Amino acid sequence: MRKKPATLRVARWSATHPWSAIGLWVAFVALCLFLGGAAGTNKLDSEESGVRESGRAGKIVSSGDFTERPEENVLITDDSGGKLDRRAAERAAQDVTDRMRDLPEVRSVGDPVPAPNGKALLVPVTMTGDKDGAMNRVGPLLDASAEADRAHDGLKIEQVGDGSTVKGMSDTIGEDFRRAELISVPLTLLILLVVFGAIIAAGVPVLLALSCVVSAMGLSSLASHVLPETSAVSNVILLMGMAVGVDYSLFYLKREREERRKGKSHLDAIEIAAETSGHTVVVSGTTVIVAMAGLYLAQEATFASLATGSIIVVAVAVLGSVTVLPALLAKLGRWVDRPRVPFLWRLTMRSGESRVWPALLRPALLKPVLTLVVSIGALLLLALPALDMKLKQPGQDDLSRDIPVVRATDRLTDAFPSEGTVHKVAVRAPADEAGQVEAALRGLIARTEGNSLFAHDQKPVIRESEDRRVHTVDVGTPYPPKHPKATESLKVLRGWAPQALDEVPDAESAVGGAVAQGADFTAHLEERMPWVVGFVLLLTFGTMAVIFRSLAVALSAVLLNLLSAAASFGVLVAVFQHTWAEGLLDFDSSGTVVSWLPLFLFVVLFGLSMDYHVFVVSRIREMALDGASVRDSVREGIVRSAGVVTSAAIVMVAVFSIFGTLNAVEFKQLGVGLAAAIMLDAVVIRIFVLPALMTALGPWNWWPGGTSRIGRRLSPVSAPAEAGADGPAAPYARPLAPEPGADEAPSASRGGAPAPGRHRR
C-alpha cells in the first residue's frame, strides 16, 4: 500500500487529538510572541543600508561615530504668507526661545536666522539625547511652539525637525494602518460570511490568519538579529498574512464541506481535504516562499528584510493550515456550520450545477484558439503602458499635503532651501591628513558659490569626527528631489568632489543624500532585476514540473503569470504616472512609480498567482486522472474550483484595496497594483486564458508521458462520479488500481465506503 502523504498523516493525528493540536498551536503563538518581545527588534540602519556610492557615503559617515543631536527648527512666518513684520517676528522668536530653554528635553537654543526672502525667521533648537528617541521626547517642544503660536496673532509658528517630522508622519501613517486593520478584519469576515453562510465557518479563517500574523511578527523580530528589519516589514506581514492565511483556510474548509455534502463522515472529509487541499496548500506555500526568496538576489538590505518577513508569515500560515485547522474542524464538528445566516446559508448550500461558470467557460471550451487570441490581446493592451514605466524613490515631494508637518516643511524649504534637499559629501582619510581634507572641502564649497544648482541661503558647515578621520559637509540644492535640476546638481557634485580631493592621496570620498540614494537604488534594482526575475522563473518552472510531472504545465504556469504581472504593471503605470485618477485615489501624481515596487510586486504576484494556478490545475488533474477528456477535465476542474478561487480572490482584492486608501504613495501603489493583479488573474487568466490554453493543448497538457505517467492506470470501465459541490459530474473512467507513488485521493473520496483499515470515528 502506498504511503500516505504527510499532510494526511498530520491531519489525522490532529483531528483525533484536537485538544493537543490546539494547545500546541496556542503555545507556539505565545512562544513566538514572548521570544520576539524578549529579543526586541534590530532595526535597519538607513546609513548602512544604501547601495553604490550613496551606500559608501553612509558607511563613511557611520564610521565617524558622530554624536548626532536631534535638531528642531521653529519657523515663524506671516499668516498671509507675505513679508514678515520683523519686530513682531523677533518678539515671537524671543518668546519661543524663553519657552524652549525651560524644557529638560532642550539642550540649547540658537539665535534666530532670517530668511533671505524676508518671509520667515528660523529658531534652531538642539534637543538632548539621540535621534532615535527624539520622536518620543519632542511632545513638550511641540506644545511650547503651539502655545507661542496662539500667543501671537497674525503669525504662524510651527515646528519641523528630526523628532517632530518623524512624529507627525508616524502619527498620520500609523493612524492610516490602524484604520486599515480595523476595516480589513470586519470586511474579510463579511466576505467569508457570504461565502460560507455561517458565522463560525467565516470566523475560523480570520482567527487562524490573525494568529499567523502575530506569530510571524514575533519570529520576524528574532530574525532581525541576523538580517536587520526595515520598518515596512510589519505592514507586509499583515498584508501577506491576512491574504494567504485566509486563502489557505478557505481552500481547506471548502473541500471539507464539499466532501461532507457527498456523505462522508466528518473525519473522512477532513482527511480527504488534507490529502487534496492540504497538499495544495503546501505546494502553494512552497511556490510563494520560492518566489519571495528571489528578493535576496537583489543584494539590498531592505529587500532582504521584506523577503524574510514574507517567507516567515507564509511558512507559518502553511503550518497552521495543515496542523491546527484539522483539529479545529474536528472539535467543532457540524458546529462549524452554525449559527447559520438564513438567506446566505441557502445561497451557499443550493444544489445543482451553477449556471454562471459553465456559461463563462463556454467560449474557452468551444473556441479555445479564438478565446486565447482575444484574451491575451486584451492583457497585452493593458500591459502596454508598462513600457513607459519611470521609476523613482518616494520622498518629501510625494507625501500628501493634507499632513500638517508636510505643509510646514514646504514653507521651511521655501524660505531656507538649504534645509530641504541636501547632498552629503563624506570623506575618510588618515588623521594626519585632516587639514588637507578640510582645505579641499572648503575649496569644494567655494566652487558651488554662485552656481544656481546649489542653495546659498546658509553657508555649508564642515563637520569633523573626534578621531579626525572622517569629514562631512551638507551641500543644499533649491530643487525638490524629483526635479531634474536636483539630479543634475548631484552629478556635478560627484564630478567635483574627487577633483577637490586629488591632492589628498589616501582620501576616500563619496556623495550621498536623498537624491543620491534614490538614483543609486533605482540603478541598482535595474541591474539586479534580471537576476531576481530569472531566479523566480527558473525555480517556479522547476517546482511546477516536479509537482505536476509535466513540462507543459510548468511552462504554461510561468507564461500565464508573466502575462498577469505585465498587465498589472500596465494598470499601475496608467493610474499613477498620469493625473486622471488623482481625485479618485487622493494622491498627487509624480509621473513615476516607486522604484522598489515593480520588483517586489513581481515576486509577490508570482507567488500569490501560483496559489490559484496550483489549486485550479490540481482539480483539473484530478479529473484527468479519472480518465476524463481534456475538455471535460478543464470544465469540471474549473467549475469545481471556481467558487473557492473567486472567494479567495475577493478577500485578497478587498484587503489590498484598503492599502490603496493610505496616504503614503508607496503603499497606495502597492495596494492598487496587488488588487488589480489578483483581479486580472482570477477573472481573465482563470476563466478565459487558462481553460482556452489547456483545451487547445489537449493531451499535450501532460507532456511528457500523459496522464498514465502522472497518476494511475486507467480502466475502460466507466462509472458515474459523485456529485461535487457544484452539482453532478460527468461519468469518467475509473482506475482499477493505483500505480506505486501515485498521488491518489483516499478511496473514500472515490466511493461510498472508506478504505480498509481507515480509522473511523
Side-chain angles (χ1 to χ4, degrees):
M1 180 181 290
R2 181 177 68 90
K3 186 179 180 181
K4 296 296 182 182
T7 53
L8 175 58
R9 299 197 301 275
V10 171
R12 181 178 294 163
W13 182 89
S14 182
T16 53
H17 303 81
W19 283 121
S20 298
I22 293 170
L24 286 172
W25 180 256
V26 171
F28 170 75
V29 174
L31 182 64
C32 291
L33 274 175
F34 172 76
L35 293 177
T41 303
N42 180 28
K43 291 294 185 182
L44 186 64
D45 186 348
S46 59
E47 286 188 345
E48 297 188 348
S49 63
V51 294
R52 300 196 172 196
E53 184 171 342
S54 58
R56 294 199 308 274
K59 289 179 174 60
I60 291 173
V61 173
S62 181
S63 70
D65 197 22
F66 288 94
T67 301
E68 297 289 347
R69 302 289 184 189
E71 301 286 341
E72 291 292 319
N73 297 297
V74 180
L75 185 70
I76 302 171
T77 56
D78 189 86
D79 266 339
S80 65
K83 283 283 186 182
L84 194 62
D85 182 333
R86 185 64 180 268
R87 289 186 178 180
E90 287 176 351
R91 286 195 297 271
Q94 186 59 50
D95 185 20
V96 168
T97 300
D98 293 340
R99 293 175 189 270
M100 291 291 180
R101 280 178 177 160
D102 293 336
L103 298 176
E105 294 83 4
V106 172
R107 182 184 181 86
S108 63
V109 181
D111 295 331
V113 180
N117 61 10
K119 292 184 177 181
L121 194 65
L122 184 69
V123 180
V125 179
T126 302
M127 292 181 64
T128 56
D130 56 21
K131 284 187 176 182
D132 291 340
M135 180 185 75
N136 300 320
R137 294 180 290 103
V138 77
L141 281 75
L142 291 171
D143 292 340
S145 297
E147 289 170 3
D149 181 57
R150 289 190 292 270
H152 297 273
D153 291 336
L155 297 177
K156 186 186 294 295
I157 300 175
E158 49 199 343
Q159 190 172 321
V160 177
D162 295 323
S164 54
T165 300
V166 174
K167 179 176 173 57
M169 294 302 303
S170 297
D171 288 348
T172 301
I173 295 174
E175 181 60 33
D176 274 356
F177 280 111
R178 283 190 291 274
R179 187 178 70 249
E181 290 166 9
L182 288 174
I183 295 172
S184 63
V185 174
L187 183 59
T188 303
L189 272 171
L190 181 62
I191 294 168
L192 292 177
L193 198 59
V194 174
V195 171
F196 289 109
I199 292 175
I200 293 178
V204 167
V206 175
L207 180 65
L208 186 58
L210 287 173
S211 70
C212 292
V213 168
V214 168
S215 305
M217 286 185 175
L219 292 174
S220 179
S221 294
L222 285 177
S224 70
H225 293 276
V226 178
L227 289 173
E229 182 178 298
T230 181
S231 58
V233 166
S234 58
N235 307 128
V236 170
I237 287 177
L238 174 64
L239 189 76
M240 294 285 289
M242 289 302 295
V244 299
V246 169
D247 269 16
Y248 294 161
S249 300
L250 193 58
F251 293 165
Y252 209 106
L253 276 165
K254 275 283 192 178
R255 187 58 183 261
E256 188 267 349
R257 174 184 277 191
E258 177 183 330
E259 296 303 328
R260 278 194 288 115
R261 289 185 64 186
K262 293 179 183 179
K264 304 297 185 297
S265 71
H266 206 73
L267 182 58
D268 282 342
I270 291 173
E271 290 184 357
I272 294 168
E275 190 168 11
T276 53
S277 293
H279 178 69
T280 301
V281 164
V282 173
V283 170
S284 298
T286 302
T287 57
V288 176
I289 289 171
V290 165
M292 296 306 302
L295 287 177
Y296 290 119
L297 292 182
Q299 295 183 354
E300 200 276 329
T302 301
F303 278 117
S305 174
L306 295 176
T308 302
S310 301
I311 288 171
I312 288 172
V313 76
V314 172
V316 171
V318 171
L319 180 66
S321 299
V322 299
T323 57
V324 74
L325 184 56
L328 289 171
L329 294 178
K331 198 63 192 171
L332 288 168
R334 296 194 179 275
W335 275 98
V336 75
D337 291 330
R338 303 286 194 279
R340 296 172 179 174
V341 182
F343 172 74
L344 295 178
W345 175 257
R346 288 195 300 273
L347 192 66
T348 61
M349 298 303 289
R350 59 185 179 179
S351 59
E353 185 179 87
S354 168
R355 296 180 181 179
V356 175
W357 302 114
L360 290 173
L361 287 171
R362 193 171 294 120
L365 298 176
L366 296 180
K367 296 185 181 297
V369 175
L370 178 61
T371 304
L372 202 59
V373 170
V374 172
S375 53
I376 289 178
L379 288 172
L380 289 176
L381 281 175
L382 277 177
L384 271 179
L387 297 175
D388 187 40
M389 183 182 288
K390 297 179 177 65
L391 302 177
K392 187 186 77 68
Q393 273 290 81
Q396 181 77 22
D397 44 345
D398 293 305
L399 297 173
S400 171
R401 265 50 203 171
D402 292 335
I403 304 174
V405 72
V406 174
R407 296 196 300 270
T409 302
D410 287 343
R411 283 187 279 271
L412 174 67
T413 55
D414 180 59
F416 299 92
S418 58
E419 296 289 341
T421 307
V422 172
H423 305 304
K424 185 176 286 292
V425 182
V427 183
R428 182 164 51 199
D432 56 4
E433 295 178 0
Q436 294 174 270
V437 171
E438 189 168 339
L441 290 177
R442 282 198 298 269
L444 179 64
I445 293 169
R447 196 168 181 180
T448 65
E449 292 174 1
N451 191 310
S452 62
L453 290 173
F454 303 99
H456 307 296
D457 56 284
Q458 298 183 58
K459 190 174 181 63
V461 177
I462 299 172
R463 299 176 64 202
E464 183 181 77
S465 63
E466 288 186 11
D467 61 7
R468 306 193 70 202
R469 294 177 60 251
V470 177
H471 293 76
T472 68
V473 62
D474 291 344
V475 180
T477 176
Y479 303 100
K482 69 179 180 182
H483 199 285
K485 290 286 188 181
T487 304
E488 185 182 347
S489 67
L490 171 67
K491 292 178 180 177
V492 169
L493 199 59
R494 281 184 166 177
W496 288 351
Q499 296 173 10
L501 292 159
D502 270 348
E503 302 301 320
V504 186
D506 300 314
E508 175 190 2
S509 68
V511 179
V515 179
Q517 289 169 355
D520 290 346
F521 187 75
T522 301
H524 178 77
L525 289 189
E526 289 173 351
E527 178 187 289
R528 299 304 304 173
M529 186 173 284
W531 292 94
V532 177
V533 171
F535 173 86
V536 172
L537 296 182
L538 184 62
L539 265 292
T540 302
F541 178 85
T543 303
M544 295 295 288
V546 170
I547 292 164
F548 291 102
R549 306 174 198 176
S550 166
L551 297 180
V553 167
L555 183 60
S556 64
V558 168
L559 292 177
L560 293 189
N561 282 286
L562 274 175
L563 188 61
S564 175
S568 66
F569 286 165
V571 171
L572 194 66
V573 170
V575 170
F576 288 100
Q577 283 191 193
H578 301 88
T579 58
W580 64 270
E582 286 183 332
L584 182 66
L585 294 175
D586 189 24
F587 74 99
D588 294 319
S589 175
S590 63
T592 61
V593 170
V594 175
S595 57
W596 60 265
L597 202 60
L599 187 57
F600 184 72
L601 264 181
F602 173 81
V603 171
V604 172
L605 293 179
F606 224 83
L608 296 181
S609 296
M610 292 307 295
D611 268 2
Y612 300 147
H613 198 85
V614 169
F615 187 77
V616 173
V617 175
S618 294
R619 294 305 296 259
I620 294 172
R621 182 174 178 265
E622 283 186 48
M623 302 299 109
L625 292 174
D626 276 346
S629 67
V630 171
R631 194 184 304 272
D632 285 341
S633 347
V634 170
R635 180 185 182 277
E636 291 302 315
I638 292 181
V639 166
R640 292 188 180 202
S641 61
V644 184
V645 169
T646 304
S647 303
I650 290 172
V651 171
M652 278 200 182
V653 169
V655 172
F656 295 153
S657 297
I658 293 170
F659 276 72
T661 67
L662 303 184
N663 275 300
V665 69
E666 57 263 48
F667 288 112
K668 195 181 288 288
Q669 291 186 9
L670 178 64
V672 171
L674 286 171
I678 297 300
M679 191 178 297
L680 288 170
D681 191 77
V683 176
V684 183
I685 298 291
R686 304 302 158 212
I687 296 175
F688 298 106
V689 182
L690 176 63
L693 178 62
M694 295 193 79
T695 304
L697 286 175
W700 287 99
N701 280 299
W702 312 114
W703 179 84
T707 52
S708 62
R709 286 286 299 279
I710 63 170
R712 314 170 215 174
R713 196 183 305 115
L714 299 177
S715 166
V717 180
S718 294
E722 287 123 350
D726 295 294
Y732 301 140
R734 285 291 185 233
L736 290 176
E739 289 184 356
D743 291 330
E744 56 176 334
S747 58
S749 70
R750 306 297 178 193
R758 180 186 298 280
H759 174 82
R760 298 297 304 272
R761 173 170 290 179

